[in-house]
Amino acid sequence: MNYKELKPNEASNLMQTWIDTETLPSVNDDEMRLRLYLEKQYEQAKEKYPNDLYKVDMELGLALYSFLDQNGDFTMRTASNDGFWRYLSLVIVPHLVSDRWGKDNDAHFWSRTTRIWVRVMWWYVFLSWQGSVEKTRDLLEKPAFTTDEILNLVERCGRKGAYVDVYREIMKLYGAVPDEERKKHAEGRKTLFRKVMILNTARYVVIDPYLMGLSDYVKSLYEDLGVSFE
């Protein structure tokens, strides 16, 4: 598949065209295959979770990640290219972005990298990956995870995705934190997950997680915040 991109000025112009006309742009066969696949997965998710936007987002992310992964030529270079995500938003699935966020929400379409919906959901799944779609879904559908965790994971990991295995272990262990422990350590909007991510950002500057041992390092983040897994 030839992964195209949009420059910011091109995205701005296409956004205005979409707002004015709501006409889906013409796409090639590969792009149409992706469009139809995501349409189907998105509509099925809305039917399955009519009152749970987080799980709709999750399913869209899993579908997008799976499609691009199975395509075989999707690279981290493309995943780090904002122009690709702008193209995906505004050319391939603008109708889905509109349905989720409104047709004139330029931040979730293209203008704010950390808010581009399709980009955020791909990175959320990538940074949570547990080896398969099934295992990743089993983790992400746990009650511990909400749209807050999406933002705190994707925005705090850094553009280069440093220590990807650490983030995946953080997600895995967060899913294992007892509900009462998770709620006890929340302070308003400062959730336990956000605290762990902040602590990790400060700590891996001076500690190599791999030298300490990945599992031990991540568990120490939770324990140093007073979390008990018993």
Side-chain angles (χ1 to χ4, degrees), residues 5-19 81-91 93-94 97-98 101-120 159:
E5 58 185 272
L6 287 177
K7 296 178 181 178
N9 64 314
E10 295 172 327
S12 180
N13 292 336
L14 199 54
M15 179 83 195
Q16 190 57 56
T17 299
W18 171 253
I19 292 173
N81 182 349
D82 294 344
F84 164 72
W85 298 116
R86 289 190 287 261
Y87 186 88
L88 181 57
S89 289
L90 284 161
V91 176
V93 293
V97 184
S98 286
W101 295 103
K103 71 174 184 177
D104 57 352
N105 193 325
D106 62 343
H108 289 289
F109 271 95
W110 72 273
S111 65
R112 289 187 61 186
T113 296
T114 57
R115 288 291 188 271
I116 298 174
W117 182 48
V118 287
R119 173 194 177 276
V120 169
R159 293 293 301 278

Side-chain angles (χ1 to χ4, degrees), residues 149-164:
E149 280 68 44
I150 294 176
L151 294 179
N152 274 290
L153 178 65
V154 177
E155 290 190 8
R156 292 184 183 279
C157 73
R159 293 293 301 278
K160 296 181 180 180
Y163 295 125
V164 169

